[in-house]
Amino acid sequence: LKYLVFRQSCGLLDVLIMNRRAILGISPQLLKKELDDQKAVVVDVRDDDFDGGIPSCIHKPSEGLGVSDLEELAQAHAGRAVSVVFYCMLSQSRGPNAARYFLTHLQKNYPDFECSVKVLNGGWTAWADWEAEQDEAAEAAQGLGQEKAA
């Protein structure tokens, strides 16, 4: 058994276990917190559908993602206690595959790695929807504050 996938129907947690190391799913909310705390590195693997992404993301198109890209990420982050988070448009194929390739590379070449490997649940679509909800909530709160002041 090379890997085993656990999936909760609520979509809040997806786990891919490979050789006793797990690839976890992460929500946009938790990713934002990790980014704010400088505990996450985000890798966008969209191809032609890339049109901007999560602030500070590293764009590594899946079509050209190779060993040199994986090694570059591993050298920079394997020894750090950070999450390396992969995503694509929906994180159904390219993002999880890239995360699996990266974890395999770490296991072969950096057996004592410290970083965790994650996939953004729902991908770019979930992030953009969540970000829009946050903006709307902030605008509504600002509007209520201005009404109370008047």
Side-chain angles (χ1 to χ4, degrees):
L1 183 66
K2 284 205 166 208
Y3 60 89
L4 180 63
V5 177
F6 294 94
R7 197 161 255 218
Q8 286 185 330
S9 60
C10 62
L12 295 178
L13 176 66
D14 293 338
V15 180
L16 173 62
I17 298 177
M18 295 176 54
N19 300 327
R20 291 175 262 149
R21 294 300 286 250
I23 296 174
L24 301 174
I26 187 169
S27 69
Q29 299 89 332
L30 291 177
L31 177 56
K32 174 69 168 133
K33 180 175 180 356
E34 286 192 10
L35 285 169
D36 289 347
D37 295 342
Q38 297 182 353
K39 296 194 184 239
V41 175
V42 184
V43 184
D44 187 322
V45 295
R46 290 179 290 162
D47 299 303
D48 294 338
D49 51 342
F50 179 81
D51 186 21
I54 294 172
S56 77
C57 75
I58 300 166
H59 183 224
K60 298 277 186 190
S62 69
E63 290 176 345
L65 189 67
V67 174
S68 61
D69 297 307
L70 299 175
E71 181 59 21
E72 180 183 328
L73 288 169
Q75 284 182 3
H77 307 295
R80 300 176 57 215
V82 297
S83 298
V84 181
V85 181
F86 293 85
Y87 74 95
C88 56
M89 188 60 79
L90 299 171
S91 288
Q92 292 179 345
S93 181
R94 295 172 292 178
N97 284 337
R100 186 171 44 86
Y101 298 147
F102 184 61
L103 180 57
T104 299
H105 184 81
L106 289 172
Q107 289 173 329
K108 287 180 180 176
N109 301 290
Y110 297 85
D112 297 324
F113 64 93
E114 294 181 37
C115 65
S116 60
V117 182
K118 299 180 180 179
V119 174
L120 176 60
N121 290 334
W124 170 249
T125 301
W127 176 272
D129 290 348
W130 174 78
E131 197 171 48
E133 289 172 11
Q134 298 306 302
D135 291 345
E136 288 175 15
E139 289 174 14
Q142 187 178 27
L144 287 174
Q146 290 175 352
E147 287 178 14
K148 287 182 181 180

